[in-house]
Amino acid sequence: MAELELSIEWLSSGGDDPVFRDTSAQLAIHLDGICLTRNEDVWSRTVRDTALVSTYPLAMWFASSWWRLNFEPLPQFGIKPSLDWRMAHELGAANHGFVWPRILFSPDGEAINIWAEQLAAKGQSFQYLFGLDAPRAVKTDIFQHQIGGFVESVLNRLNALGHIQTDLAALWSFVKEDSSNPAIRRIRILEAQMGFDPEECPEEVISEALRIEGSAGPDAMSELAPVFGRRAGGTGLGEIDRLASQKGMQGRPQVSADDITGMPFAGPPWQRGVDAARQLRMLLGNPAEPIDNTNLLALLGSTENQFNNWDAPAKSIVAIAKPARGDAFDYIPRKRHPIAKRFEFARLIGEILERPRNDNNWLVSSDIATARQKRQRAFAAELLCPIQSLVEFLEGDYSESSLEDAAEHFEVSERTVESLLANNGYLEIPSAEPKAPYRLAA
């Protein structure tokens, strides 16, 4: 995991607002030794690692965005989210006339993923010089410690200079008070996951979310809330009930978490998914060859006849699996195409392998960018199309027709083949994961 550091060198500066003036500083932001505040002053032709700003608006932004910044995931990778989402996750939203580096914070349930772009600010004499080639993940507790420490430093500076009663002090007091109360903290997290600022979620919506969480479980609700929470002004939560009322495919999984030796949080989500898929293949005695539908579905305790006859609910945007009697599940997929259904069932197998004993949470598969969904996608790709087997099958031929043959051989989509090759350094294609989840520039 990456290390994040914010350092402050207090300064005296001019200005009409004493709170802004007395919190002026040279600010430096480092991420794994990379200085994201390194900048050039075009007029003076000087380069330095610190930016002269007032830390007050930045601390206010961190405090006001605290819950969403830590708990609201990126809706879907590659698609620019709403302006409201960006205002809670892009550092530039601190604004107040200062030029801030282009940094994006996006939680995934385990860590805070940080992107930074080095883009020229037109008409500005002040240009930031460094970005990141790839996102870096900071453990959530480390991120909270660093950002909380930054806010406290600004408050200590204000107190030392006689500014006791400030908006920042009041706001941060609310954040700490809510964090210390387990019931309120859960509500704040749910609000954030649904895309609401604190106390802005309608009471009936949060009540509905808590009711659904009682059935689905907190882990499942953390995946469902970002998908349905703000749809149609909060009424989208009703879609969860309608989905759950569908009659699904019954099956008792033939594998469990006891079958693999993966360690929670031992690496990035995608790596844990790949490792689990490889362990499962070794357990099955098939480390390299394609897995047909019969064997794939047997792992879920289902049959090919059920697979072929299942018709997904219209316009479903998530797949779920509800615990049923004994160790069985009621599977309610969303995909209709046979290849897409294979991939989705493989994702559910990966989820079952991560499920602790006596866990009654629903299993959820969606398109959002949480750690759980990243792990699922990586698991399914490696289970159905092991990268080494894929490379051996292609024999160095990465032409379009050869990739089509590989997709047919492993019974996966061409996109899965291309993504596997790109993410493992065998192929450069536009569909490979970009350096940022979307263009940070307006």
Side-chain angles (χ1 to χ4, degrees):
M1 289 287 184
E3 295 292 332
L4 175 67
E5 180 183 1
L6 286 80
S7 57
I8 304 170
E9 181 184 343
W10 299 113
L11 297 173
S12 296
S13 69
D16 296 331
D17 189 321
V19 170
F20 279 66
R21 180 188 64 222
D22 291 342
T23 53
S24 294
Q26 293 286 357
L27 172 70
I29 302 175
H30 287 85
L31 185 62
D32 268 2
I34 300 172
C35 184
L36 300 182
T37 48
R38 188 165 180 79
N39 65 84
E40 178 186 13
D41 187 320
V42 177
W43 288 350
S44 65
R45 296 185 179 180
T46 57
V47 175
R48 62 172 63 214
D49 287 343
T50 58
L52 176 58
V53 296
S54 170
T55 57
Y56 187 83
L58 182 57
M60 277 291 293
W61 180 75
F62 278 133
S64 62
S65 302
W66 180 261
W67 296 102
R68 295 179 67 182
L69 199 61
N70 281 282
F71 300 104
E72 181 186 22
L74 186 70
Q76 188 172 342
F77 203 95
I79 297 177
K80 182 178 288 188
S82 67
L83 178 61
D84 178 72
W85 190 94
R86 297 178 65 194
M87 291 295 290
H89 295 269
E90 288 186 25
L91 189 69
N95 204 345
H96 281 275
F98 295 98
V99 181
W100 302 99
R102 297 182 183 275
I103 301 175
L104 165 71
F105 304 97
S106 176
D108 66 13
E110 294 181 4
I112 310 298
N113 295 281
I114 301 177
W115 286 265
E117 283 190 310
Q118 187 275 312
L119 293 174
K122 294 182 180 179
Q124 297 285 352
S125 63
F126 188 82
Q127 305 287 348
Y128 288 101
L129 302 177
F130 285 174
L132 297 173
D133 290 335
R136 307 293 174 92
V138 178
K139 288 183 64 175
T140 299
D141 59 342
I142 299 298
F143 178 83
Q144 292 176 350
H145 176 76
Q146 291 293 336
I147 300 305
F150 172 80
V151 174
E152 296 283 357
S153 294
V154 176
L155 286 171
N156 291 338
R157 172 70 171 180
L158 289 166
N159 290 339
L161 296 179
H163 306 292
I164 308 299
Q165 295 182 337
T166 62
D167 291 341
L168 177 62
L171 182 57
W172 192 240
S173 176
F174 288 136
V175 170
K176 293 198 294 184
E177 182 179 343
D178 290 348
S179 298
S180 65
N181 184 316
I184 298 299
R185 173 182 166 81
R186 184 57 200 152
I187 289 174
R188 293 290 173 265
I189 291 174
L190 264 178
E191 289 172 335
Q193 289 170 338
M194 292 191 291
F196 291 97
D197 290 321
E199 298 185 337
E200 287 195 358
C201 181
E203 185 176 344
E204 62 273 17
V205 173
I206 195 66
S207 295
E208 182 77 349
L210 289 168
R211 180 191 65 78
I212 295 172
E213 180 176 276
S215 299
D219 289 345
M221 196 60 192
S222 292
E223 303 297 315
L224 293 168
V227 178
F228 294 100
R230 215 166 186 179
R231 286 167 61 84
T235 60
L237 290 176
E239 296 180 47
I240 301 175
D241 283 334
R242 287 190 289 274
L243 177 62
S245 68
Q246 298 282 336
K247 180 175 175 56
M249 291 171 49
Q250 292 284 328
R252 180 170 281 102
Q254 302 304 298
V255 291
S256 72
D258 295 336
D259 293 320
I260 61 172
T261 59
M263 295 179 291
F265 311 111
W270 67 266
Q271 186 63 64
R272 300 204 308 273
V274 169
D275 290 346
R278 290 173 178 169
Q279 287 188 55
L280 179 57
R281 273 186 163 271
M282 294 302 294
L283 180 69
L284 297 174
N286 178 11
E289 294 303 312
I291 297 177
D292 61 23
N293 284 345
T294 299
N295 289 308
L296 179 69
L297 294 165
L299 295 173
L300 292 170
S302 187
T303 66
E304 195 163 5
N305 186 53
Q306 287 179 296
F307 176 87
N308 292 330
N309 292 330
W310 170 256
D311 192 17
K315 297 182 179 178
S316 178
I317 54 177
V318 301
I320 63 172
K322 299 183 300 178
R325 184 178 302 176
D327 295 327
F329 276 98
D330 197 16
Y331 304 113
I332 306 176
R334 59 177 168 148
K335 301 295 186 180
R336 293 175 176 271
H337 191 280
I339 294 298
K341 283 200 291 186
R342 273 174 56 83
F343 197 83
E344 186 160 76
F345 280 117
R347 288 179 65 168
L348 290 175
I349 293 169
E351 198 62 10
I352 288 168
L353 291 175
E354 285 279 336
R355 182 174 179 262
R357 275 189 180 278
N358 303 318
D359 187 320
N360 289 318
N361 276 272
W362 296 359
L363 310 183
V364 179
S365 179
S366 75
D367 293 328
I368 61 173
T370 61
R372 187 179 298 270
Q373 305 306 320
K374 296 173 189 174
R375 188 190 67 238
Q376 282 183 23
R377 289 188 282 267
F379 173 89
E382 182 67 18
L383 179 69
L384 297 178
C385 186
I387 182 61
Q388 289 305 317
S389 300
L390 174 60
V391 171
E392 290 173 9
F393 178 87
L394 292 170
E395 296 182 332
D397 180 1
Y398 300 114
S399 65
E400 183 178 352
S401 62
S402 185
L403 300 188
E404 290 173 354
D405 290 342
E408 182 178 2
H409 177 72
F410 291 101
E411 293 187 77
V412 297
S413 69
E414 291 176 38
R415 180 178 180 181
T416 296
V417 169
E418 292 176 346
S419 295
L420 276 166
L421 293 170
N423 292 335
N424 286 276
Y426 291 98
L427 191 67
E428 290 188 10
I429 55 173
S431 60
E433 185 171 297
K435 293 180 181 179
Y438 58 87
R439 187 69 167 173
L440 300 189

